[in-house]
Amino acid sequence: MANTNHEKLFAEFPPVTTEQWEEVIAADLKGADYERKLVWRTGEGFNVRPYYRAENLEGLRFLGSQAGEFPYVRGTHAHNRWRIHQTITVADPAAANAEALQLLGSGVDSLGFHIADADFSAADLDVLLRKIHLPAVDLVFCGEKIGHVADLVLAKIEKEGVAKEDARIAFVIDPLVKTLSSKGAFCSPDGEKCFARIAELIGKTKEYKHIRVVNVSGQIFGNSGSTIVEELAFALSAGHDYLVRLTEAGLTVDDVARKMRFSLSVSANYFLEIAKLRAARMLWANIVKGYNPEKNCSCKMMIHAETSRWNQTVYDPYVNMLRGTTEAMSAAIGGVHSLEVTPFDRAFEAPTEFAKRIARNVELLLKHESHFDQVVDSAGGSYYIENLTQSIAAEAWKLFLEIEEQGGYTAAYKAGTIVEKVKASAANKDKNIATRRQILLGANQFPNFTEVAPAEITAAVVDRTTAEGNVLTPYRGAMAFEEMRLHVDRSGKQPKAFMLTCGNLAMARARAQFSCNFFACAGIRVQDNTFFKTIEEGVAAALESKAEIVVVCASDDDYAEAAPKVKELLGGKAILVVAGAPACTPELEAQGITNFINVKSNVLETLKFYLKEMGI
């Protein structure tokens, strides 16, 4: 017998209005400023409220569509079967082929080939693709002379009679983003030769609906320090420039749009990255729709995602596995065509077999253990993520229109607008990392106290090189801390900071833990101590340890008496530091105590100061 009970779940509980929620919050705040305490101002230019309700979905015009329906905010297909992608560097075609076959047997179904040889030939291609069944795998070619490689690949599949619907291939040809960002100029005047070549390839592959010949390399922005909104807006702007220039060359919008692929990075900002991918599809669909394509399927955005390289660290590198996992989750939930998890050791060495295995296993676990591929747009309907989608879309669209007003992506890039904005965002991130407003675990917070840089970590690995001119330079956010720490590790010295814990036990322990994390970020060895009953006992132990730095860890009320006494007993035999920002700071400074560390300190600059004081 069918269940005829249609009562709503929890109907016996009375509804709670927003006003009632706000009254309780106001009472709990006890007069504190609501906006300052609970509203988060993101780096993307919009605010995030502490909670959202159904009423916050009112006015969101994109709600109501299903996956596979315009504007594709919920996905371009009625499924979520993304491709597991890994890239192989092709220096020796035979070795690359062997690795490719091994990857295909390990769960990978999207192969990237980075061609390292400018003289790559048809014979090399035959060796590279030997025993690879094309209908079963996506192929992506990037690297040297990809236009030439594309000709070789197309000739091969035509010669072998590969069915047009079975060829799933992408060529990373991207003069607008990749060439401009690294060189500051096209390889020919105004890119005429590049675009003529792209138009030719679009014509040659018109009957191959799964071959893409234009790639918008948006991950370059994210890996150079841009915000999420900037990465999205600039990628959309570059994509639009391709539409404009190629349709002006005589191609239809359908011809061009169906040949495009977007590559985006996925950062550790979990929910915002999910929303970014949803917003990206929606905005691109509306951009293409403005050109009146024959079919809505031309409005679908093919997205390849890569986990961020910007936030990887070379110290405590296994933490990169955790970063890659959460970023992969964002991509899987946000919905992508393919995903590459960056191996955890890529920042300091050619990825090992173990690292590459862990990287692809992240995706295999998400599919076969967590079943992320069995749910389409699991974020859909979430009050929070739907509002994030709207906010990111609105901010990205605003920036997109600013670029259009300057004449489009090419004009804005040549004017320096793109690089200027990315560098400003990167500088803001650098400041937040230096002050620990943004955490990079293992680098600027909670470092591994006993870790010493292995031989693989060289000065070149942690050196942030900057190119002159109007170009973007990808880097990692942790580099400034890593460069400082490597300098200490290679100095031949082992500086030590001693925690002199006294006074109030609870505050002494809390501040000792804070101080240990603070100094260990520079590779300074830390000696923590549970508690000293007297200051004399603590100073005696500090002098015996031969530590260059002694950190007094106590409560604010204890410092007025304890800090001067420690200074007197130390007799200048070590650098005295007070952990905290006590009210008696002016009085202590008057007595010659000038070193303080607290949560508002610029950790990077403060540590550099102490290293200089120690002669390192």
Side-chain angles (χ1 to χ4, degrees):
M1 184 176 178
N3 183 2
T4 57
N5 184 0
H6 297 296
E7 291 184 11
K8 290 184 177 181
L9 191 63
F10 302 131
E12 65 270 26
F13 295 99
V16 179
T17 66
T18 301
E19 289 73 20
Q20 288 174 297
W21 276 110
E22 291 294 313
E23 287 174 5
V24 173
I25 292 171
D28 287 344
L29 284 173
K30 298 177 182 178
D33 187 287
Y34 185 103
E35 295 290 323
R36 292 189 63 184
K37 284 286 184 182
L38 298 180
V39 176
W40 170 35
R41 179 69 176 177
T42 70
E44 318 308 315
F46 58 86
N47 291 341
V48 174
R49 299 198 61 74
Y51 68 97
Y52 291 88
R53 308 193 68 191
E55 63 202 53
N56 296 113
L57 297 183
E58 295 175 6
L60 300 187
R61 292 185 295 172
F62 57 82
L63 295 179
S65 64
Q66 298 300 312
E69 294 179 0
F70 186 90
Y72 309 110
V73 66
R74 305 204 67 189
T76 55
H77 297 88
H79 62 76
N80 188 28
R81 295 190 292 272
W82 76 90
R83 297 266 177 161
I84 298 175
H85 186 86
Q86 280 199 308
T87 300
I88 300 168
T89 298
V90 183
D92 176 357
N97 172 259
E99 183 176 356
L101 294 175
Q102 184 266 326
L103 292 180
L104 292 175
S106 304
V108 169
D109 51 9
S110 178
L111 287 172
F113 291 118
H114 185 275
I115 308 300
D117 184 1
D119 297 321
F120 189 79
S121 66
D124 292 330
L125 181 64
D126 288 338
V127 174
L128 180 63
L129 298 183
R130 186 173 52 204
K131 295 184 180 180
I132 294 177
H133 183 55
L134 292 183
V137 60
D138 280 13
L139 297 179
V140 179
F141 292 89
C142 62
E144 295 287 335
K145 297 186 176 179
I146 296 305
H148 166 67
V149 173
D151 286 335
L152 297 179
V153 173
L154 294 175
K156 180 177 176 63
I157 61 177
E158 288 176 10
K159 178 182 177 182
E160 296 183 358
V162 176
K164 289 181 169 56
E165 62 272 15
D166 287 343
R168 299 177 179 275
I169 305 170
F171 301 103
V172 179
I173 300 173
D174 185 14
L176 275 180
V177 180
K178 207 166 187 182
T179 304
L180 262 182
S181 70
S182 61
K183 298 180 180 178
F186 292 115
C187 52
S188 62
D190 202 32
E192 291 178 4
K193 288 184 179 179
C194 301
F195 284 94
R197 189 76 176 91
I198 291 172
E200 179 188 350
L201 286 172
I202 290 175
K204 290 176 70 172
T205 60
K206 188 170 184 177
E207 301 301 318
Y208 293 86
K209 73 177 200 174
H210 299 304
I211 290 184
R212 308 270 169 160
V213 300
V214 177
N215 190 88
V216 180
S217 307
Q219 77 274 17
I220 290 173
F221 306 117
N223 288 327
S224 297
S226 79
T227 66
I228 286 172
V229 162
E230 287 168 347
E231 180 186 28
L232 177 52
F234 297 153
L236 291 171
S237 180
H240 182 238
D241 239 21
Y242 279 119
L243 285 182
V244 171
R245 296 186 67 155
L246 291 168
T247 52
E248 287 178 348
L251 297 169
T252 69
V253 66
D254 296 271
D255 291 338
V256 180
R258 291 173 183 174
K259 296 299 177 184
M260 294 181 66
R261 173 180 182 263
F262 288 79
S263 297
L264 299 174
S265 67
V266 184
S267 73
N269 211 324
Y270 184 73
F271 293 109
L272 266 67
E273 288 291 354
I274 295 171
K276 178 187 78 176
L277 295 169
R278 301 173 86 245
R281 287 191 296 271
M282 178 174 64
L283 293 177
W284 180 246
N286 280 282
I287 288 171
V288 177
K289 189 70 173 177
Y291 287 85
N292 299 315
E294 291 183 4
K295 295 182 179 179
N296 272 350
C297 63
S298 297
C299 302
K300 292 181 178 180
M301 185 186 208
M302 176 187 271
I303 302 176
H304 168 69
E306 299 177 2
T307 59
S308 176
R309 298 180 184 182
W310 182 88
N311 65 2
Q312 283 203 329
T313 59
V314 299
Y315 280 93
D316 212 354
Y318 293 123
V319 178
N320 294 329
M321 294 183 188
L322 304 179
R323 296 184 178 105
T325 300
T326 61
E327 291 161 5
M329 287 172 66
S330 293
I333 293 172
V336 295
H337 172 79
S338 57
L339 168 63
E340 180 163 23
V341 176
T342 305
F344 74 88
D345 60 349
R346 189 196 178 282
F348 58 90
E349 64 181 357
T352 62
E353 287 303 314
F354 172 71
K356 288 186 282 190
R357 177 187 173 193
I358 292 297
R360 62 177 175 269
N361 280 358
V362 167
E363 297 188 59
L364 291 171
L365 287 169
L366 290 179
K367 283 192 173 189
H368 304 306
E369 299 289 339
S370 302
H371 304 295
F372 276 42
D373 61 335
Q374 299 300 307
V375 184
V376 180
D377 189 31
S378 56
S382 161
Y383 305 153
Y384 179 45
I385 294 178
E386 295 289 15
N387 274 276
L388 287 183
T389 301
Q390 171 62 27
S391 296
I392 289 174
E395 292 299 318
W397 188 249
K398 186 191 304 180
L399 181 53
F400 172 82
L401 292 179
E402 287 181 21
I403 301 301
E404 290 304 298
E405 287 174 2
Q406 293 187 37
Y409 183 84
T410 303
Y413 197 99
K414 289 183 176 180
T417 302
I418 308 295
V419 171
E420 181 182 331
K421 285 185 177 293
V422 172
K423 285 186 175 179
S425 295
N428 188 54
K429 286 185 177 182
D430 294 341
K431 181 180 178 182
N432 287 340
I433 289 170
T435 56
R436 293 210 286 213
R437 294 188 65 180
Q438 183 169 345
I439 301 301
L440 286 174
L441 195 65
N444 71 341
Q445 181 67 293
F446 303 120
N448 183 340
F449 293 177
T450 60
E451 184 179 13
V452 176
E456 291 84 0
I457 302 179
T458 63
V461 166
V462 299
D463 178 42
R464 180 179 172 182
T465 57
T466 55
E468 294 183 2
N470 186 31
V471 295
L472 290 173
T473 309
Y475 74 106
R476 292 179 299 102
M479 279 180 154
F481 275 88
E482 292 169 348
E483 183 180 25
M484 173 177 64
R485 187 168 178 179
L486 184 67
H487 179 65
V488 174
D489 285 350
R490 300 286 193 261
S491 68
K493 300 179 181 179
Q494 291 190 333
K496 183 190 293 185
F498 182 93
M499 305 300 125
L500 201 162
T501 47
C502 58
N504 180 283
L505 176 61
M507 287 303 299
R509 290 303 312 131
R511 281 179 163 157
Q513 291 172 5
F514 168 83
S515 301
C516 283
N517 281 317
F518 193 103
F519 284 101
C521 288
I524 296 172
R525 302 295 176 255
V526 293
Q527 183 173 331
D528 196 4
N529 299 285
T530 303
F531 189 69
F532 293 105
K533 294 180 181 178
T534 67
I535 291 174
E536 288 81 0
E537 178 189 358
V539 172
L543 291 173
E544 184 180 354
S545 74
K546 298 188 179 344
E548 291 88 343
I549 297 173
V550 174
V551 188
V552 186
C553 304
S555 70
D556 286 1
D557 293 338
D558 293 324
Y559 281 138
E561 180 180 345
K565 192 169 184 180
V566 172
K567 180 179 184 298
E568 178 186 352
L569 293 173
L570 278 178
K573 295 178 181 178
I575 300 169
L576 175 60
V577 179
V578 174
C584 63
T585 296
E587 289 81 3
L588 296 179
E589 289 178 333
Q591 298 177 65
I593 299 171
T594 57
N595 298 315
F596 299 83
I597 60 170
N598 53 67
V599 293
K600 293 184 178 180
S601 297
N602 184 312
V603 183
L604 182 64
E605 294 305 319
T606 303
L607 288 173
K608 285 182 176 179
F609 167 77
Y610 289 128
L611 291 176
K612 186 176 180 180
E613 288 291 296
M614 291 185 288
I616 301 177

